[in-house]
Amino acid sequence: MPLKQLLCLMSLAASATCRCYAPNPAFPVPSWPNGASTLKAAFKDLEKQYDLAIKDPKFENTSFSIEVTSKTGTLWGYHHTASNLNPARPGDKDVSTDSLYRIASITKTFTTLAVLYQHAAGNLSLDDPVTHYISELSSPNYILPWKDITLRSLASQLSGIPREFAQSDIWNSIPDPTSIGLPPATGEGLPSCDEYNYYKPCNRSDLLDQLKTAKPVFAPNQKSTYSNLNFEILGLVLENVSGKNYSTLIHDQIFSPLNMTASSLTPPNDESHAVLPLMPEGEPNYWDVDEGVQNPTGGIYTSSADMGKYLRYILTHYNTLATGVNWFHPVSRGTGPHSFYGMPWEIFSTPDLLPHSDRPVTFVTKSGGLPGYYSHIYLLEEYGLGISIFVGGNGDVFDDVHTPVTTDLIVAAEAAVWEDIDAIYTGTYIPTKEHSHLNTTLTLSTSPAKGLHLEQFISNGTDVLSTDLFSDSTASEWHAQLLPTLLFANETSQQGEIYRVLPVLSNLPPASKRPVWEDDCVTDVDTVTYAGKAVNEVVFWHGEEGGGLVVELPAWNVSLQRVVDEGRGMVVQGVKVDL
């Protein structure tokens, strides 16, 4: 029976045809400090694009900062200073990596990280109802079903509670509601803080009082919908379990350990690199607005330099923050077919970015906005990259700012990755000295469309790719692609990269020409075994036996060494052999 058909039978959830395309991840996470030079041309191109973009008059009142980081350091940045600044309060006149912005709702990720820390320490549980930590919510005076709302629900935007309690009410902004068809309203029962009282900060009592009359948008855990209230409540939980106010807790748990020395929850003074956009007449500058009890949802001030430290930490710790939690995993669907909610991430996965592959690129993001400030962070687990964009001024420029660095750069990174993979892995492999009696060879090829794949595999004289083990009678064009598991045979020394071979269809028909279920595919990597060993397991050993690359095939009980053509000879493990 062909391996691919066997895969289908072994996975009851698979479609009848079991057609899978472009598996992900396709390569190990790149180490950009060792190959960052491959992105220099892309960065120069980005600079040209931004140099041209800022000539548009809409950038005259707008400053912005963009930075790209890898797991180990900043790779590139671009900073623009508005040509029009407020003469009475200009703020930073030369925007740089140290310039400070309000990042608004990106603060939610800091709140969630603090909750994860408290969960890992045993001070709270993500799956406890919020009533365990805020006793007032157990009162029958509250309409919302708090006993069914967990901390995980809140952090994942799955609580079903309303979005706001003291903002975004047009009663504050429209002098005559009847002009748009609304009836007159007295405002009785509305809060007396934030937008209802000249931006007086709301406190804990204000929040809890307003929650008494709040009604659900959805039942708990039914569907994610954006809510700032979720994180204001989590802020109260953090204060209760830690005994510290929110600002002190975030400083002690996150800012200080990560050396984010410029970050705070109170407004830095104007001379401390403050980005102060020139606001339209009559609009407040939100730099000085105290968020009060709403700080956990949007109160942080930071620089792109500090944000780079934060993104590097997340890129290297997202799967180790708390037992059983991968911080990059989605928890529910958004409204769009490619959009998902995380905890509290906004996740976008698109198959339309890469020019030679339908493999989706996934952006784990968080956005934020206050009047005059617009921010976005992007984490790309597969590429080991983090991007931050902070804008102070005209929000209409955001598309011009974020599109090049999140599209052109990723396409360039993809090309650079395959150049490296080709140089490291592509070639013919023959048996090592202990297996030299075997008539066995393996040839690996690389392309952006097919990834790293088996071009040929002869095992002791048998063409394995033409046997029932790998052949697929249901498709004429398929290839045996190597999928990195990101694990090592020796985890201690991080040696022995483990891959799995998967049969993959080579050509994905256009969406308009394929049946609805054509691209239904569940992940099923651990499939057929032989004598207890995975038939599709491949282990790469770098630098073994004289410095060459060795491939181990455990189920086939053979190790193969890479050979490299040099003129009329071959180099095998560093020793030239004449042909």
Side-chain angles (χ1 to χ4, degrees):
M1 178 180 292
L3 176 61
K4 194 167 185 187
Q5 293 178 14
L6 186 56
L7 295 181
C8 292
L9 292 175
M10 293 174 67
S11 178
L12 296 179
S15 66
T17 54
C18 200
R19 294 177 176 269
C20 296
Y21 304 86
N24 202 14
F27 42 76
V29 179
S31 180
W32 295 111
N34 298 329
S37 60
T38 59
L39 293 180
K40 283 184 178 178
F43 291 141
K44 287 186 178 296
D45 180 67
L46 287 177
E47 288 171 9
K48 291 178 182 178
Q49 291 190 59
Y50 289 121
D51 287 345
L52 180 63
I54 60 177
K55 294 179 181 179
D56 192 299
K58 63 185 176 183
F59 282 89
E60 292 176 354
N61 294 348
T62 302
S63 299
F64 66 84
S65 293
I66 308 172
E67 288 203 15
V68 179
T69 186
S70 69
K71 287 185 174 184
T72 56
T74 300
L75 299 178
W76 176 81
Y78 188 98
H79 307 274
H80 167 69
T81 307
S83 56
N84 295 334
L85 298 171
N86 186 341
R89 196 180 184 190
D92 198 337
K93 299 177 183 178
D94 186 16
V95 170
S96 69
T97 190
D98 298 316
S99 298
L100 294 165
Y101 298 78
R102 296 208 76 162
I103 61 168
S105 286
I106 293 176
T107 303
K108 291 176 173 66
T109 70
F110 289 79
T111 301
T112 305
L113 181 56
V115 170
L116 290 175
Y117 283 157
Q118 295 294 325
H119 174 81
N123 298 330
L124 56 76
S125 170
L126 287 169
D127 297 311
D128 278 344
V130 66
T131 51
H132 284 202
Y133 306 101
I134 304 176
S135 59
E136 293 95 326
L137 298 180
S138 298
S139 167
N141 294 327
Y142 291 89
I143 298 172
L144 290 165
W146 292 112
K147 64 180 178 60
D148 299 319
I149 296 173
T150 66
L151 305 189
R152 192 187 299 270
S153 304
L154 293 167
S156 305
Q157 303 280 27
L158 270 170
S159 67
I161 68 176
R163 178 186 171 107
E164 310 284 0
F165 85 99
Q167 293 182 351
S168 303
D169 193 316
I170 59 176
W171 186 83
N172 290 298
S173 56
I174 300 179
D176 181 14
T178 62
S179 66
I180 58 171
L182 288 169
T186 64
E188 182 180 355
L190 295 174
S192 59
C193 56
D194 200 282
E195 292 182 358
Y196 297 91
N197 190 1
Y198 302 101
Y199 302 101
K200 170 190 170 185
C202 300
N203 58 33
R204 188 179 192 275
S205 295
D206 294 322
L207 171 58
L208 293 176
D209 284 346
Q210 289 300 311
L211 287 177
K212 290 177 181 176
T213 56
K215 297 179 180 179
V217 179
F218 290 109
N221 305 304
Q222 177 180 325
K223 182 178 177 62
S224 287
T225 182
Y226 200 89
S227 170
N228 286 322
L229 275 172
N230 285 326
F231 298 88
E232 293 155 15
I233 294 166
L234 286 174
L236 299 185
V237 170
L238 287 169
E239 291 185 339
N240 284 352
V241 300
S242 70
K244 299 180 179 181
N245 65 55
Y246 177 81
S247 179
T248 301
L249 179 68
I250 296 301
H251 175 272
D252 292 350
Q253 283 205 318
I254 302 175
F255 293 161
S256 181
L258 297 184
N259 196 32
M260 298 176 67
T261 55
S263 302
S264 70
L265 280 139
T266 55
N269 61 57
D270 290 7
E271 290 72 36
S272 299
H273 299 288
V275 175
L276 301 174
L278 180 62
M279 302 297 292
E281 186 174 353
E283 291 190 18
N285 184 321
Y286 261 64
W287 183 261
D288 300 310
V289 173
D290 183 352
E291 295 280 345
V293 75
Q294 298 172 93
N295 265 328
T297 205
I300 288 177
Y301 301 78
T302 195
S303 65
S304 56
D306 269 11
M307 183 55 67
K309 299 171 185 177
Y310 182 62
L311 297 184
R312 286 191 286 277
Y313 174 77
I314 295 173
L315 283 169
T316 52
H317 292 82
Y318 65 89
N319 199 21
T320 60
L321 294 168
T323 300
V325 175
N326 183 322
W327 205 18
F328 283 174
H329 278 178
V331 295
S332 70
R333 289 191 170 275
T335 300
H338 304 300
S339 296
F340 307 86
Y341 273 104
M343 191 171 66
W345 305 105
E346 295 141 11
I347 301 170
F348 176 61
S349 186
T350 174
D352 300 324
L353 179 55
L354 302 179
H356 304 293
S357 174
D358 294 299
R359 195 180 79 253
V361 174
T362 298
F363 296 86
V364 178
T365 83
K366 188 70 195 78
S367 59
L370 286 168
Y373 295 96
Y374 307 89
S375 54
H376 218 123
I377 56 175
Y378 311 78
L379 292 146
L380 291 103
E381 172 191 1
E382 180 181 8
Y383 296 93
L385 293 174
I387 302 168
S388 64
I389 300 175
F390 300 155
V391 173
N394 180 5
D396 291 341
V397 310
F398 199 83
D399 280 347
D400 303 82
V401 174
H402 96 120
T403 299
V405 75
T406 57
T407 56
D408 295 354
L409 176 62
I410 305 310
V411 170
E414 173 83 2
V417 165
W418 288 119
E419 287 180 11
D420 287 345
I421 295 293
D422 183 64
I424 295 170
Y425 298 94
T426 295
T428 298
Y429 294 76
I430 64 174
T432 57
K433 187 178 298 184
E434 62 181 313
H435 298 120
S436 59
H437 61 285
L438 297 175
N439 178 18
T440 297
T441 60
L442 181 147
T443 302
L444 294 181
S445 294
T446 302
S447 76
K450 294 183 178 180
L452 180 62
H453 59 281
L454 293 178
E455 191 73 32
Q456 184 184 57
F457 179 24
I458 306 297
S459 177
N460 207 22
T462 299
D463 183 357
V464 176
L465 295 185
S466 66
T467 67
D468 283 348
L469 186 60
F470 279 98
S471 66
D472 177 20
S473 59
T474 66
S476 58
E477 294 189 45
W478 66 279
H479 58 275
Q481 186 162 338
L482 275 70
L483 181 82
T485 66
L486 309 182
L487 297 173
F488 296 89
N490 188 331
E491 289 288 347
T492 302
S493 65
Q494 298 284 280
Q495 294 291 318
E497 297 175 310
I498 301 175
Y499 282 68
R500 292 298 186 101
V501 180
L502 294 180
V504 175
L505 295 190
S506 299
N507 296 310
L508 178 65
S512 60
K513 295 184 178 181
R514 62 180 188 260
V516 170
W517 291 96
E518 178 75 4
D519 56 357
D520 177 45
C521 179
V522 297
T523 301
D524 189 5
V525 174
D526 188 26
T527 55
V528 180
T529 61
Y530 175 66
K533 297 178 180 179
V535 168
N536 65 346
E537 184 175 2
V538 177
V539 184
F540 288 100
W541 297 93
H542 296 268
E544 296 292 318
E545 299 184 18
L549 180 61
V550 172
V551 169
E552 177 190 359
L553 306 176
W556 308 83
N557 194 28
V558 66
S559 292
L560 308 169
Q561 54 197 351
R562 186 178 182 226
V563 298
V564 182
D565 289 334
E566 282 196 2
R568 291 182 54 79
M570 292 188 302
V571 173
V572 181
Q573 300 299 107
V575 179
K576 187 171 182 179
V577 179
D578 291 333
L579 296 176

